[in-house]
Amino acid sequence: MQGNRIKNFADYKKEYQKSIKNPELFWEKKAENFFWRKKWDIVLDWDFVTPDVKWFDGGKLNITENCLDRHLETRGDQVAIKWIANNPDEKARDITYKELHLNVCSFANVLKRNGVKKGDRICIYMPMVPELAIAVLSCARIGAIHSVVFAGFSSKSLSDRINDADCNILITADGGFRGDKVIPLKSISDDAMKNAPSIEKCIVLKRTNTSINMMNGRDVWWHEELENVDSNFDAEIMNSEDPLFILYTSGSTGKPKGIVHTNAGYMIYTEYSFKNVFQYEEGDIYWCTADIGWITGHSYIVYGPLLSGATTMMFEGIPTYPDAGRFWKIIEENKVNIFYTAPTAIRSLEAKGLDFVTPYDLSSLKVLGTVGEPINEDAWHWYNQEIGKGNAPIVDTWWQTETGGIMISNLAGVTPAKPTFATLPLPGIQTCLIDENGQEILKNSVEGKLCVKFPWPSMARTIYGDHNRFRETYFSKFKNKYFTGDGCLIDEDGMYRITGRVDDVLVVSGHNLGTAEIESAIDEHENVCETAIVGYPHTIKGNGVYAFVICHHQADDEESLRKEINELVSKIVGPIAKADKIQFVSGLPKTRSGKIMRRILRKIASGDSENLGDTSTLLDPSVVKEIKCGVQ
Ligand code: PRX
């Protein structure tokens, strides 16, 4: 299985060429490494107009047989999941492949006992404990479609998602530990279920011992149910294109989109990308700090690593509990080799200072990764020098919930890295840039809208219950292309740098300005930690530029700092991009996955701060109050 890893830059180029020349043959070869109940009839059938994409149609398989059963003989006693509790005093748990297989089969029997059938939608609202991964895999084993909702979402977000997918089962826990807080998951679930009549059964894991209500006939305890089942479960045989899961992601407007991924293509691509991007080697300890509630957790905590027979770590807590050295302590204690996290986490830990880093031995690290947002130059160098000690290549991985797997990234130590650049597309990924006239740009050193012009195995197939919206959002802007919604620059060497969402573009005096461009210019100021730019109505320019800026330390003279910042912007981007208003803030409104909620900042900047809409996904709502008070 290690054989199909790309080992040097020349290999990559060859592999990429092969993947473009004959994509069907290329992916068919990869597919042969998996366990199929029946081989496919046709490798690829596609149409980007409808859109309709099928990979390995006619094939029959179960993804859990590939994640678990086929490893039992060769690595049954190897640790599959290494779990670290929120509380450093609580014992870690090691679950071997054999044990995980047994747990998944047993819980699949619990699902069956509670009426679950192939094709049912199961909502999972759980803390980051191994049972979350077990629940996910058990759904896949029985052929039910899992819809994991991040355990930080409100009861309203939860019921909306349950209703959208018409789920009949909810799997949750009494509570979850996060830092010094206990999140009352069952009581939030109770509120959600009041508005979600489709739920027939709620299976509850005991985690925090919080006192909760159990509704007779509807609610059952996970541990009690297990007492009534055995641990044999024949995997349901699925078609390649049967849905595997739904995962909700927010759109630029309207209700969240239930992105649907299917079995075979997702399986093949997550394994391939995992091994190649991280250059996973047999025996490596791999840790991705994401939550399984996001796509990163689905693809690169659960499926990709388990398909590859890796040891994947799961962490229940947060980076700053009990202090800002927690990540580094865990790396030392577990001799982590591959570490994958978000730029937001890196920046926030950088801001806490090196005293939290230097006590720990990080020499086990071979590969570092980032995901989810552009990484700024300063954070990149800090990560490289202070965490990787210059010895661990950083992979900057660009992808989306919709793409299922990593699309553009360097391959650790194998293809060149370049700070702030995701660099090059993976084999099989035919990216292109589109100009304002909708034409493909065929030269380098240009900026455009990032699209993909050929199907790849792990691409989303639809939005649950709304195929029209799927077509409209991704396939109608540019003919025969998947539109990512991101802007991108290709430099003179053909390297890709994601410049941010194109819906974050501001038109000022008739000029297009990328918010990310102005933000990174402001971030160059030595006293600036982070910036968010939004537009606000301006009588002369159409849009004015409003900057919310976090400083390292409070300025003695705010007016002269504003002047210095604008001089920098003029210098780097041009006078047109100068901020009309600069407000110094102590934090920015962010989602739990680290994305700045510009919608809220836009409202505040335009003087409409009473009407902020749904703020339930915010990490720290108190930030908004402070920002409202300081409006310029
Ligand atoms: O704007 C891009 C940004 O995150 C978006 C996708 O968000 P989501 O579906 O939540 O998935 C995040 C985890 C895969 C993209 O459209 N993004 C993701 N990775 C990067 C990035 N922006 C810059 N660089 C990245 N490496």
Side-chain angles (χ1 to χ4, degrees), residues 296 371-374 396-401 486 498 501 595:
T296 308
V371 58
E373 45 179 324
D396 178 349
T397 65
W398 175 86
W399 58 298
Q400 309 177 296
T401 305
D486 280 333
I498 310 299
R501 302 292 305 182
K595 296 220 160 44

Side-chain angles (χ1 to χ4, degrees), residues 248-250 294-296 300 340 343 370-375 395-403 405-406 408 420-422 484-487 497-502 504 593 595:
Y248 285 86
T249 184
S250 34
W294 311 116
I295 190 69
T296 308
Y300 299 110
Y340 190 30
T370 69
V371 58
E373 45 179 324
I375 180 162
V395 289
D396 178 349
T397 65
W398 175 86
W399 58 298
Q400 309 177 296
T401 305
E402 296 86 341
T403 68
I406 297 168
I408 304 180
T420 77
F421 281 71
T484 65
D486 280 333
R497 179 181 202 260
I498 310 299
T499 51
R501 302 292 305 182
V502 260
D504 291 336
S593 59
K595 296 220 160 44

Side-chain angles (χ1 to χ4, degrees), residues 142-204:
I142 199 169
I145 303 167
H146 55 78
S147 166
V148 183
V149 176
F150 173 61
F153 277 124
S154 65
S155 64
K156 166 91 169 67
S157 307
L158 177 59
S159 60
D160 284 351
R161 285 160 175 74
I162 293 173
N163 290 333
D164 186 72
D166 198 22
C167 298
N168 53 346
I169 305 272
L170 173 63
I171 307 173
T172 188
D174 51 354
F177 295 115
R178 254 183 100 72
D180 54 9
K181 294 197 189 75
V182 175
I183 317 290
L185 296 176
K186 177 59 166 62
S187 118
I188 299 169
S189 297
D190 287 343
D191 285 344
M193 283 188 285
K194 283 183 200 143
N195 298 311
S198 59
I199 296 292
E200 291 158 12
K201 283 286 173 75
C202 177
I203 305 174
V204 186

